[in-house]
Amino acid sequence: ANATINTNTNTNTTADKSATPLFILYGSATGNAEHIAKDLASTYDLILKNPDAKCFFPSVVCCEADQFKKKCQPQWEAEPPAGTKHGVLVVTSTTGNGDLPENINRFGRYIKRKTTVDAQPFRHCAYAVLALGDTNYDQFCE
């Protein structure tokens, strides 16, 4: 039997827990992306209720992406504790020929603006995108 003993004494400043919630934003025309986002949020909430669970984010906020300025952005702009980032998961579909759904349209325009790019509003965020679409369209998930 092989045993591995970690003798690394590196005192990395990575935190065990975030001070801010996991943000799940969705953009959905037919409800599929909304359903997935809310299901992910519910699952995370269930995991949080387990006293033995070691979750990095203390809670979860799930909302339409166009509500980001009110519900998320003030926290995203604050520098998190050393070794952490704010967690953002975007679940979105495309509609028509690669267009954004109505409830993520403002968010999409905001992140494409040159002034937004220059300001780097997501510099304190770690993010992932789950993109849904129809492969029958030329602009599938673009």
Side-chain angles (χ1 to χ4, degrees):
N2 292 335
T4 303
I5 299 172
N6 186 357
T7 58
N8 185 355
T9 57
N10 183 3
T11 55
N12 196 351
T13 58
T14 303
D16 292 334
K17 196 167 203 141
S18 174
T20 57
L22 171 62
F23 296 96
I24 302 177
L25 308 178
Y26 62 85
S28 190
T30 62
N32 290 335
E34 178 180 359
H35 176 75
I36 291 169
K38 288 180 176 179
D39 189 46
L40 288 168
S42 294
T43 301
Y44 195 79
D45 268 336
L46 282 174
I47 293 169
L48 284 171
K49 288 182 170 81
N50 178 350
D52 297 326
K54 293 184 169 64
C55 298
F56 186 72
F57 299 102
S59 61
V60 62
V61 171
C62 183
C63 62
E64 290 181 346
D66 278 352
Q67 296 178 354
F68 79 99
K69 279 194 176 182
K70 180 172 61 171
K71 294 192 174 189
C72 311
Q73 193 171 23
Q75 293 184 61
W76 293 348
E77 290 176 348
E79 188 167 345
T84 66
K85 289 202 176 256
H86 305 296
V88 181
L89 174 59
V90 179
V91 182
T92 188
S93 60
T94 54
T95 186
N97 196 20
D99 299 319
L100 291 173
E102 214 173 280
N103 58 1
I104 194 171
N105 205 348
R106 266 182 287 158
F107 179 79
R109 287 192 322 264
Y110 172 76
I111 62 175
K112 289 179 181 180
R113 247 185 253 141
K114 179 165 176 21
T115 55
T116 301
V117 172
D118 292 343
Q120 298 180 344
F122 301 103
R123 68 189 170 280
H124 301 304
C125 298
Y127 65 90
V129 177
L130 172 58
L132 311 173
D134 187 336
T135 57
N136 290 318
Y137 289 100
D138 294 337
Q139 298 295 315
F140 171 66
C141 288
E142 288 187 20

